[in-house]
Amino acid sequence: MRLQILPDIEIIEETETELEPFYRVIIHNDHSTPMDFVVHVLKTIFHLANDKAARIMFTVHIYGTAYVQTIAKSEAKKRIDKAHFEANNAGYPLRFTMEPE
């Protein structure tokens, strides 16, 4: 009979980690940014489907602000900064803000 030696098993207890807070991304209307550019930004930077991007674009056009999405704070900031950079490069005053959920 052959003896088999089992490896030591280390038990790692899961520790509770604090999750990053979620933030709502809000788009603000302006009178200069073309509607197709707004839809383009919502699709490419915020990864929205064409119909949802168009719906948000019309909502912000009519009401002045519109909810875009809720995501982790760091991701919201990254996407907003990218959207502002792209809008600025195109010469448009498109603006997004974020607020805690």
Side-chain angles (χ1 to χ4, degrees):
M1 185 165 158
R2 227 170 136 197
L3 282 177
Q4 186 176 12
I5 300 174
L6 296 175
D8 288 339
I9 298 174
E10 183 181 346
I11 298 174
I12 301 173
E13 290 186 31
E14 237 180 84
T15 58
E16 206 171 297
T17 58
E18 191 172 317
L19 296 177
E20 187 175 4
F22 281 82
Y23 274 66
R24 288 185 292 273
V25 175
I26 308 297
I27 184 172
H28 299 266
N29 189 46
D30 64 73
H31 299 291
S32 303
T33 308
M35 293 178 177
D36 61 333
F37 184 81
V38 173
V39 171
H40 165 75
V41 167
L42 291 170
K43 288 170 52 179
T44 59
I45 296 174
F46 293 94
H47 310 292
L48 300 179
N50 192 56
D51 59 336
K52 186 167 186 177
R55 191 168 42 252
I56 291 170
M57 179 272 299
F58 280 119
T59 301
V60 72
H61 181 71
I62 294 167
Y63 296 105
T65 60
Y67 166 80
V68 176
Q69 62 190 184
T70 300
I71 50 180
K73 182 180 182 180
S74 63
E75 187 64 24
K77 177 150 180 35
K78 184 171 85 174
R79 291 183 190 187
I80 288 171
D81 288 347
K82 190 173 180 180
H84 287 166
F85 180 79
E86 191 167 329
N88 188 46
N89 280 347
Y92 301 126
L94 183 61
R95 189 169 69 94
F96 293 86
T97 57
M98 60 188 211
E99 57 188 37
E101 180 169 49

